[in-house]
Amino acid sequence: AQSVAQPEDQVNVAEGNPLTVKCTYSVSGNPYLFWYVQYPNRGLQFLLKYITGDNLVKGSYGFEAEFNKSQTSFHLKKPSALVSDSALYFCAVRDMRSSASKIIFGSGTRLSIRP
Amino acid sequence: DSGVTQTPKHLITATGQRVTLRCSPRSGDLSVYWYQQSLDQGLQFLIQYYNGEERAKGNILERFSAQQFPDLHSELNLSSLELGDSALYFCASSVGVRGATTDTQYFGPGTRLTVL
C-alpha cells in the first residue's frame, strides 16, 4: 500500500539553527514525493517535489529535501530556520495504484521556531 | 496565492442540512480534487474530476457528491450533515494532462464547515 509517515508530531528549533522534518514512505514502483506547508488559517502551499534525478531537491522559501532510496526517506531541510517558518508541514506521495493523480498525505508535523 | 479560489470561506449550518462548496481552479487546469481535513482523520482525498469527468474516488461518503462544470469550476455537495462532517474542505487543481503522473496540485484556501 502507498503510504507516508511523519514520525514527529512537533519539531522545535531555535531561529538560525538548521531544521529537519522527517518523512518516510512506502510505495510500489517509483515514488513521487511532495512537501506542502500549511500556515494558520491558510490552504496548503506547494514547497517541492521529487520525481526523478538529483536526490537533493530545492524548493520554495529556502527549503530542500533529500531523497534516500535505501532508507525510503524524504526529509525536509533548511540550513537556517526563520520564525516565519513556523507552520504545519505535510509530506505526501502520489498514489500509483491508479491513473488518477490523488495524493496521500502524512499526518503532518508542526514546526515551531523560537526566536 | 495559488490561483485556486474557494467559496464560501466559512459555513455554519445545522445537522441534517445540505450545503454546496464551490471551487474555481487555476486558469488552464483541467483537474480538480477535493480533500477533507479534520483533526481526527487528517488530510484525506475525497474525489477527483478531470475535464468534467470523475477520475478517482477516495474516502467520500455517499451523502457527499461533486461535479465539474463545462467552465471547469467544481462544486462539492454535502447532504444530511452530521456533527462529524465539521472540517476544513480543500479544493486543489492541476494541469491534469491525461496520463500525466507528476503534475503538482495547487490548493485553495479552503472552506471551514461547522455543523451545529
Side-chain angles (χ1 to χ4, degrees):
Chain A
Q2 324 282 330
S3 66
V4 289
Q6 294 180 243
E8 303 156 315
D9 289 337
Q10 174 124 6
V11 171
N12 300 308
V13 177
E15 188 175 27
N17 283 0
L19 70 88
T20 299
V21 183
K22 295 180 181 177
C23 171
T24 59
Y25 65 89
S26 174
V27 300
S28 54
N30 295 323
Y32 295 152
L33 299 157
F34 303 81
W35 275 102
Y36 283 85
V37 58
Q38 184 177 23
Y39 297 100
N41 301 312
R42 301 280 295 278
L44 278 77
Q45 295 182 31
F46 170 75
L47 279 179
L48 50 82
K49 67 180 178 184
Y50 172 83
I51 304 301
T52 187
D54 195 348
N55 288 345
L56 188 62
V57 180
K58 293 192 183 296
S60 307
Y61 312 120
F63 283 93
E64 56 190 27
E66 186 171 11
F67 172 70
N68 188 317
K69 189 172 183 178
S70 62
Q71 296 185 5
T72 62
S73 67
F74 189 55
H75 300 332
L76 182 70
K77 299 181 179 184
K78 188 171 182 180
S80 178
L82 299 172
V83 173
S84 58
D85 293 329
S86 298
L88 189 57
Y89 290 79
F90 290 95
C91 181
V93 64
R94 183 183 174 279
D95 186 346
M96 300 299 292
R97 290 171 292 179
S98 70
S99 60
S101 298
K102 66 178 181 178
I103 293 179
I104 298 171
F105 285 88
S107 54
T109 297
R110 189 163 298 281
L111 178 63
S112 178
I113 309 299
R114 59 183 183 275
Chain B
D1 184 5
S2 67
V4 179
T5 60
Q6 289 187 248
T7 57
K9 196 171 182 178
H10 301 279
L11 200 48
I12 301 175
T13 188
T15 55
Q17 295 298 305
R18 173 189 169 95
V19 297
T20 297
L21 312 183
R22 183 188 169 100
C23 167
S24 292
R26 295 186 320 156
S27 177
D29 284 359
L30 298 178
S31 271
V32 169
Y33 313 77
W34 286 97
Y35 292 86
Q36 179 194 57
Q37 185 179 33
S38 60
L39 285 175
D40 55 342
Q41 296 288 328
L43 195 58
Q44 295 216 1
F45 168 77
L46 294 178
I47 197 164
Q48 178 200 0
Y49 277 81
Y50 170 78
N51 205 19
E53 296 182 1
E54 182 184 303
R55 282 206 76 188
K57 258 186 175 179
N59 301 320
I60 189 167
L61 300 171
E62 285 194 11
R63 300 183 285 110
F64 296 0
S65 64
Q67 55 184 328
Q68 187 180 26
F69 294 86
D71 67 352
L72 301 177
H73 90 271
S74 177
E75 292 181 356
L76 179 67
N77 300 298
L78 315 176
S79 61
S80 302
L81 285 167
E82 302 175 358
L83 295 178
D85 297 328
S86 295
L88 199 50
Y89 291 84
F90 287 110
C91 167
S93 74
S94 71
V95 173
V97 174
R98 187 172 289 280
T101 59
T102 60
D103 54 341
T104 299
Q105 295 181 24
Y106 294 90
F107 283 73
T111 293
R112 184 170 295 281
L113 173 67
T114 303
V115 182
L116 301 175

